[in-house]
């Protein structure tokens, strides 16, 4: 426990510096999470397009077999 004003100021400065470092780590984590969300969104979109394409191909094959 700090006993003097300079000791208290130094302790507060250290806490502020640690908080700033923590914010930097959190910001990096958020950026990484954002990249993961972007990649997952792109994969989901591609899977949806492939499913749509497969559905259309099945429809065309069925139409060809019927006619």
């Amino acid at each position: 426990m700090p006993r003097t004003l300079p000791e208290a100021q130094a302790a507060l400065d250290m806490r502020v510096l640690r908080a700033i470092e923590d914010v930097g780590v959190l910001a990096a984590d958020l950026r990484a999470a954002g990249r993961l969300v972007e990649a997952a969104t792109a994969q989901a979109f591609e899977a949806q397009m492939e499913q749509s394409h497969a559905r259309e191909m099945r429809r065309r094959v069925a139409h060809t077999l019927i006619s």
Side-chain angles (χ1 to χ4, degrees), residues 44-65:
F45 178 76
E46 185 156 337
Q48 185 178 18
M49 293 301 291
E50 288 174 3
Q51 185 180 34
S52 178
H53 178 72
R55 191 178 306 120
E56 177 61 19
M57 292 298 103
R58 286 191 304 271
R59 186 193 69 75
R60 287 182 184 184
V61 167
H63 180 68
T64 301
L65 292 175

Side-chain angles (χ1 to χ4, degrees), residues 14-67:
M14 288 304 296
R15 288 180 68 187
V16 168
L17 288 175
R18 274 188 247 122
I20 290 169
E21 289 173 358
D22 290 346
V23 167
V25 169
L26 289 172
D29 289 347
L30 285 172
R31 284 190 297 274
R35 288 190 296 272
L36 288 173
V37 168
E38 287 176 9
T41 301
Q43 286 178 349
F45 178 76
E46 185 156 337
Q48 185 178 18
M49 293 301 291
E50 288 174 3
Q51 185 180 34
S52 178
H53 178 72
R55 191 178 306 120
E56 177 61 19
M57 292 298 103
R58 286 191 304 271
R59 186 193 69 75
R60 287 182 184 184
V61 167
H63 180 68
T64 301
L65 292 175
I66 293 171
S67 53

